Amino acid sequence: MKCLIVNKESAEKARKYLLRYGLLKKGYKVFSKESFIYFPISGISEEVKRLAQFGTIGDAKFEKIKTNKNYKEELEKIISSSESASKGYDLLGDIAIIDADPKTARKMAKLLLESNKNIKTVLRKASAVKGLYRKRSYAYVMGKRNYIAHYKENGAIFEFDVRKVFFSPRLSYERQRIASMVKNGENVMVMFAGVGPFAIEIAKKAPKSKVVAIELNKYGYKYMLKNIELNKVKNVIPILGDVKKMAIKYKNFADRIVMPLPKEAHHFLDSAYIVAKKKAIVHYYSFVDKEKEFEAEQMIKEFFEKYGAKVKIINKRVVRPYSAKEIEIVIDFSIAK
Ligand code: SAH
């Protein structure tokens, strides 16, 4: 391939010239050998001749640049040739999490590691999210064998072992949305706090607020402590324990209650009632049938009316698709006791 060979000293000037006149041949890697830089070039001979002012016109072999577009297309191909693989991946710091059978996963992982410098590890979802702690199993696929994520979100950083706790980057918008609603100085209770993302993002946004964060899984609690330290927040009160048992300690405490346990939150409405001040706002997450999107509203109203409290629905939205039949929703409502 035709090329321009220049001294390192004149390389910058040459590069600028080549770019300005569109003479740099695209799709190939510029390389250096000894004290010379080799630029692949294209163009009519008149133009090429003028390049002699920078160095020598010669001939060399160039390596092709693999563009992201090619990677994307290749990734699409791999995914569509498998019945089970789902599109896209979650990125938790430098750990990419994919959802595919082992063979497809290996092919995807190879591409991801080659095309994205930020990815160091590829893991594969090896089970559903399940159990009391809402955990998932992961299988190692390729790259560095690491399960500890360092993940940044909305200006905060979170460390956690993906195998030992629940964490979903898909709730990042929700965490930002709730944090932006909190008034500085409010008392906030985050039930089901996990490694602390809701509590810490709220605490950062509202440094005068007290944010009580309750988590049952000791690993979730352990990482919450670590994350409180990493984010240097002083106003989170982390608690290891069961919301049902802890609620009474925080009777009439909260101006705002966050309930991010979509599978089970309805079992904790009584705890929310205990913890709520005379007036409070609740953010209630739930998995529901796609067809019966906001049936939960009625249930919530009926539940609090039993206690003689009034419920006003403020806002409701779909958080994310969950399964073939179900979606996750959030209902923001106020109660007046
Ligand atoms: N809010 C976190 C975690 C949500 S997952 C986030 O957004 O990432 C729900 C969490 O609730 C899990 O970590 C689970 O261990 C915890 N949990 C389940 N039952 C609980 C209970 N009765 N009391 C306190 N925490 C509970």
Side-chain angles (χ1 to χ4, degrees), residues 132-134 165-168 171 175 190-198 214-217 220 241-244 260-262 268:
L132 193 55
Y133 298 155
R134 310 305 296 145
V165 298
F166 170 92
F167 192 92
S168 174
L171 297 174
R175 292 186 278 248
V190 179
M191 298 176 168
F192 325 118
V195 302
F198 273 101
I214 307 180
E215 172 55 45
L216 191 60
N217 174 357
D242 184 338
V243 165
K244 275 250 188 262
L261 184 66
F268 293 87

Side-chain angles (χ1 to χ4, degrees), residues 125-144:
K125 291 179 182 173
S127 81
V129 169
K130 55 184 189 216
L132 193 55
Y133 298 155
R134 310 305 296 145
K135 290 192 301 179
R136 185 198 287 285
S137 305
Y138 292 92
Y140 166 80
V141 183
M142 213 177 272
K144 204 168 115 192

Side-chain angles (χ1 to χ4, degrees), residues 90-103:
D90 284 333
L91 203 51
L92 294 174
D94 62 10
I95 304 179
I97 302 211
I98 57 182
D99 190 6
D101 59 90
K103 206 172 147 199

Side-chain angles (χ1 to χ4, degrees), residues 47 67 76 83 94 107 132 139 150 218 222 333:
E47 290 173 310
T67 65
E76 291 268 311
E83 270 176 26
D94 62 10
K107 288 189 201 158
L132 193 55
H150 292 94
K218 68 172 186 216
K222 182 188 118 179
F333 61 91

